[in-house]
Amino acid sequence: MQMIYDTGLLLFSAPRALPFASRKCSHARQPRLSVRASTEPGEKSLEGMRKFSEQYARRTNTYFCSDKSVTAVVVKGLAAHKDELGAPLCPCRHYDDKKAEVAQGFWNCPCVPMRERKECHCMLFLTEDNGFRGDDATISLDTIHETTKGISGVQD
Amino acid sequence: MLLGSQTPILVDFYATWCGPCQLMSNVIQEVAANFPKEERLQVVKIDIDKYPALATRLRVQALPTLMLFRGGKQLDRVEGLLDAKMLSQRLRYYLRGLDAKFGRSQR
């Protein structure tokens, strides 16, 4: 009886919990993760990224995709990241730590591969010789909304 | 997860706001629809925003990333967009051992 009591004290009072206890504790303390998928961007960011995309394509002599829905989705993704993180992080990548990536800057649009080699795997800025490219580098807000209807970012 | 299965599983890592991922999704649908009925192929789509830990564990970086598993082993992994022809060719190669260049069976 006494031994059990002593062990009990040890378990609760030890600053460094024993392996078994720590596993149990961390399990209990683990918060219910509200898994947030990406959210729908705000109007201001969306318009900002739309303008940026058109201007940057002009500046780099690149085109939008012939399928404008691809362009629309990426522009929305950039805007969503701008809202969420303060910078338009490339939406076509997975990151271990988004905030660290924003601070580092490599993947902030326009990303380094784009700036250096005109490589955009998001298919937002396509070079003249790219088979997927369209004939222009313009996209209206209406087109963006129309072609992204139903792609909700909000988790259900 | 389902990695012990003998049925080949094609895992599609995507993000909601990744444009090429939407295209890839259509390509996969097309390929899966035309897949021979005798050969079962399971397709799993994983939203990396909902399951970031899994994406990190499997070292997913660029999107879309496709991975082909069978019996717990990763047979193939490809990043970026593929068209229907290239994707079905790859699947045939890894699943049936078909010669990728000539499309003929090596058996």
Side-chain angles (χ1 to χ4, degrees), chain B residues 1-13 28 32 35 39-46 54 58 65-77 87 91 94-95:
Chain B
M1 283 192 299
L2 12 70
L3 298 183
S5 158
Q6 278 306 316
T7 312
I9 302 170
L10 184 63
V11 185
D12 172 19
F13 292 92
I28 292 179
F35 219 65
E39 305 191 20
R40 294 163 56 216
L41 174 71
Q42 206 175 346
V43 179
V44 177
K45 287 181 65 166
I46 296 183
L54 181 62
L58 291 172
T65 292
L66 295 185
M67 290 185 196
L68 184 63
F69 289 95
R70 181 167 57 189
K73 292 211 177 85
Q74 188 180 109
L75 298 178
D76 189 20
R77 175 196 167 119
L87 178 59
L91 287 175
Y94 286 100
L95 294 180

